[in-house]
Amino acid sequence: MFFTKSLCLNFTKQFMKFQSRGQYFYSLYTILFALALVPLTLIGLFHYINLEPVFIENHFGWLIPAFLGVADVVVFEFLHRKNLKATFSVASLSDKLKKYFALTIVRYAGLSFALHLIIAGYFLLRDDRLTYLFMLLLLYIGFQWPTISRVCDELKLSRDECAAFRQWK
């Protein structure tokens, strides 16, 4: 976790000099789509290949990858909210946005890892309930997608800061 967070912070400090709000969200969305595309490709490939289960069918075996995936989501959401509170004390809006950028990448890397855990469970067990959980997690990721209003809400920006962020072109 620390390595990923420091890597993202160094990445944003060195390479991310955003000239507009559109460029900020374009860069963020590109990374987040890449994090979501790999699990989607894998689950599609495993459904297309349709191999036999690696393990003998067990009625409760699907609970292990399901529990690990859900636990991963809970842990990364908790860490995201905890680390987000540290950005409230940052003075400048640009520093807040850079930290939010890095924290969002770490958050979605964790959510992508949860998807990979569920895919690994599906590969081993071929239980369709894991596919349903995968789709529910994708839906959750869609509801957590960063938008202008979500950024303002999660960073608890003042009305003036939010207006400046909305008008940043």
Side-chain angles (χ1 to χ4, degrees):
M1 172 65 191
F2 175 75
F3 175 73
T4 309
K5 183 179 172 186
S6 63
L7 181 68
C8 288
L9 286 175
N10 288 336
F11 180 72
T12 56
K13 284 179 186 175
Q14 293 177 0
F15 300 109
M16 295 295 164
K17 307 241 188 287
F18 304 111
Q19 302 299 322
S20 68
R21 185 186 69 227
Q23 184 183 15
Y24 176 83
F25 279 111
Y26 180 79
S27 300
L28 184 61
Y29 289 170
T30 301
I31 294 169
L32 299 184
F33 277 128
L35 286 171
L37 185 63
V38 173
L40 277 171
T41 305
L42 285 175
I43 196 82
L45 181 70
F46 289 154
H47 272 284
Y48 179 74
I49 292 174
N50 201 12
L51 298 172
E52 291 297 318
V54 175
F55 290 116
I56 297 172
E57 198 167 315
N58 182 351
H59 295 293
F60 298 107
W62 69 275
L63 290 173
I64 295 169
F67 174 76
L68 290 174
V70 171
D72 181 66
V73 170
V74 170
V75 166
F76 271 90
E77 287 297 321
F78 172 76
L79 290 174
H80 177 73
R81 297 203 193 304
K82 181 182 170 227
N83 291 327
L84 204 57
K85 288 180 183 177
T87 62
F88 298 157
S89 62
V90 176
S92 74
L93 179 60
S94 64
D95 288 342
K96 285 182 183 181
L97 291 173
K98 285 179 183 177
K99 286 187 177 189
Y100 182 80
F101 189 93
L103 288 174
T104 303
I105 292 172
V106 171
R107 175 192 203 181
Y108 276 81
L111 295 175
S112 179
F113 182 70
L115 290 172
H116 282 87
L117 287 173
I118 293 168
I119 291 169
Y122 178 78
F123 176 73
L124 295 173
L125 302 170
R126 297 289 188 233
D127 195 327
D128 286 334
R129 291 174 281 202
L130 291 171
T131 304
Y132 303 142
L133 182 61
F134 182 88
M135 293 302 167
L136 282 174
L137 188 53
L138 276 181
L139 194 62
Y140 175 76
I141 288 172
F143 283 126
Q144 298 301 316
W145 198 253
T147 60
I148 296 171
S149 59
R150 180 171 298 278
V151 170
C152 290
D153 290 342
E154 286 188 349
L155 288 176
K156 298 197 186 319
L157 297 178
S158 68
R159 190 173 292 179
D160 295 335
E161 288 177 323
C162 193
F165 181 57
R166 289 180 190 275
Q167 293 174 357
W168 182 32
K169 298 208 180 202

